[in-house]
Amino acid sequence: MEDLPELRDLPELRDLPELRDLPEQAASGHWRGSGVAGIEDFAVDLDPADAATLEAAAHRWATAGKDPVEAEPEDLPVGDLAPTLEEIRNEVLHGRGMVLMRGFPVDRLSADAVATFFWGIGLRLGRAVSQSVMGERLGRVVDVTDVDPHARAYRNRSELTPHSDPADLLAFLCLAAAAEGGESRFVSAHTVHEEIRATRPDLLPVLYRGFRYHRFGEHEPGCPPVTPWRVPVFSVCEGLLSCRYVKEFVEIAADEEPDVEITPAEREALDLFEATAQRDDLRVRFTMRPGEAIVANNFTVLHARTAFTSHPDRRRELLRLWLAAEPPRPIRREVALYEQAYHGGEPGVPPQPGRQPSFASRFDRS
């Protein structure tokens, strides 16, 4: 717990060096939903011929009964798919921040082979990190509230408002769509920043100061359940603007911890950020279909999902990767949610064998 930042007020907006000296960000990252042709403008179709090498390798690996996460790049060569994956990686890291890949062989391969194929692509985009206390690096997004009513957001069917995840990149592959709902919504965090700068610049210092985050019971042993530092919604490091935002974590911190308060100014800033991130003219909306995968930059793009209902005989299911970019994006260490990342370790949730990603707040404990 040593070497933690002090909780202190930010200066006025005009005195914030990161805002005064903020270089012009890449124009490609400032997209608006009303200015693009929907998700089509972000889509890349995988050529089956180019993907044949990886498909065959994934089939061999799965047929041998091997766990996908045990595979290294040399085990899953991508062949002619390599240039496409490098373009996708560059677009996610340095361009518009997200790409929808279409054409995963979900109808030609076994479930294990599809997971291996997805893992093989993830190996070219970054390094997979733990997604929960269970330590899984290849996760499954599926509703389990029938057995755990307090399951974490990715394991339930409720609406998820715009947010970012702890890793540098996220990737979802759709295996089965919902019967109703489950619409994905993505918005440029850079565009949200500029909209707030244009309309309410007086609230930007509040967002740069940030909020203390509840860790939903996934903090390391011996560490507090709420971050001792404020996690900035917006921050600048080496000229790059980054965003980190999970409203629920902020709200629960104030509900659960007596020494955490959301002031009226902070409430106004949170409400404005939330309303801006959900503006229909800013976001792109689409429903993922089986065989489609979305890859996004957690520092430049926010994602959301509407509530959903699964088919009676097949639950909505996605595969998920959280990836550490290599090289990593320069960020302020206060962006981290866990001590291991704050002190230079990998992003993601610290594994704690035997525990489950479940947390009941005072609103739903019974």
Side-chain angles (χ1 to χ4, degrees):
M1 298 297 298
E2 73 282 4
D3 193 27
L4 297 180
E6 296 178 3
L7 298 177
R8 59 184 184 277
D9 292 336
L10 280 176
E12 294 299 321
L13 177 63
R14 63 179 179 274
D15 298 324
L16 282 173
E18 56 258 57
L19 289 180
R20 185 183 63 230
D21 303 327
L22 179 61
E24 189 71 24
Q25 302 296 303
S28 59
H30 289 271
W31 53 267
R32 305 168 68 94
S34 60
V36 298
I39 194 60
E40 286 296 321
D41 271 9
F42 299 85
V44 172
D45 292 306
L46 302 182
D47 188 324
D50 290 346
T53 298
L54 177 57
E55 187 172 332
H59 174 72
R60 289 193 299 270
W61 191 264
T63 301
K66 297 181 179 179
D67 190 331
V69 302
E70 295 176 355
E72 298 293 341
E74 59 269 21
D75 300 315
L76 300 173
V78 296
D80 293 337
L81 197 58
T84 298
L85 295 181
E86 183 58 24
E87 290 177 7
I88 290 171
R89 179 179 175 276
N90 285 332
E91 182 68 16
V92 172
L93 290 176
H94 309 299
R96 288 183 293 184
M98 69 182 225
V99 172
L100 180 75
M101 290 185 283
R102 300 186 296 206
F104 279 75
V106 295
D107 56 346
R108 299 192 299 274
L109 294 177
S110 68
D112 288 342
V114 169
T116 304
F117 186 97
F118 183 50
W119 178 261
I121 285 182
L123 289 172
R124 273 69 187 188
L125 302 177
R127 175 172 46 83
V129 299
S130 169
Q131 301 178 26
S132 78
V133 288
M134 295 188 300
E136 77 275 30
R137 292 186 293 151
L138 179 59
R140 294 186 179 271
V141 179
V142 63
D143 177 29
V144 298
T145 52
D146 55 337
V147 295
D148 182 2
H150 307 305
R152 225 179 72 193
Y154 75 102
R155 286 154 57 88
N156 67 47
R157 60 182 180 273
S158 60
E159 177 186 9
L160 302 180
T161 59
H163 66 282
S164 56
D165 294 334
D168 301 343
L169 309 178
L170 66 90
F172 294 116
L173 168 63
C174 181
L175 300 180
E180 295 181 4
E183 180 183 75
S184 295
R185 298 172 174 181
F186 284 73
V187 64
S188 164
H190 285 185
T191 301
V192 172
H193 181 279
E194 292 310 295
E195 288 294 307
I196 294 174
R197 190 211 287 260
T199 59
R200 289 296 306 274
D202 57 301
L203 292 180
L204 273 179
V206 179
L207 298 173
Y208 270 78
R209 183 185 186 216
F211 303 87
R212 294 178 67 188
Y213 272 49
H214 201 285
R215 291 154 162 173
F216 272 48
E218 295 192 309
H219 48 286
E220 300 101 318
C223 296
V226 173
T227 58
W229 57 86
R230 287 180 174 268
V231 178
V233 176
F234 291 120
S235 59
V236 176
C237 185
E238 297 183 19
L240 293 178
L241 173 66
S242 295
C243 181
R244 169 57 47 79
Y245 177 76
V246 188
K247 184 180 181 181
E248 189 177 15
F249 288 12
V250 175
E251 299 279 7
I252 297 299
D255 290 332
E256 297 279 328
E257 294 296 314
D259 65 332
V260 178
E261 177 188 6
I262 298 177
T263 68
E266 290 173 336
R267 173 62 61 193
E268 187 177 13
L270 281 171
D271 290 346
L272 176 62
F273 184 96
E274 189 81 13
T276 305
Q278 298 209 53
R279 276 173 41 184
D280 213 39
D281 64 318
L282 300 187
R283 64 191 179 187
V284 168
R285 303 163 55 180
F286 60 99
T287 300
M288 292 182 66
R289 295 173 292 186
E292 295 181 342
I294 188 78
V295 185
N297 188 324
N298 272 312
F299 295 118
T300 66
V301 173
L302 298 155
H303 62 285
R305 181 201 72 204
T306 63
F308 66 87
T309 302
S310 290
H311 291 280
D313 57 345
R314 181 69 164 97
R315 299 189 187 201
R316 177 184 186 268
E317 184 176 8
L318 312 178
L319 294 180
R320 183 174 76 168
L321 292 171
W322 280 359
L323 302 167
E326 296 179 333
R329 181 184 183 87
I331 56 171
R332 293 172 61 101
R333 61 179 178 174
E334 291 86 359
V335 170
L337 301 187
Y338 304 97
E339 267 79 359
Q340 70 173 17
Y342 179 87
H343 291 292
E346 72 173 26
V349 181
Q352 297 177 53
R355 297 190 59 197
Q356 292 290 317
S358 179
F359 180 79
S361 74
R362 68 181 178 89
F363 294 108
D364 56 9
R365 291 189 184 122
S366 58

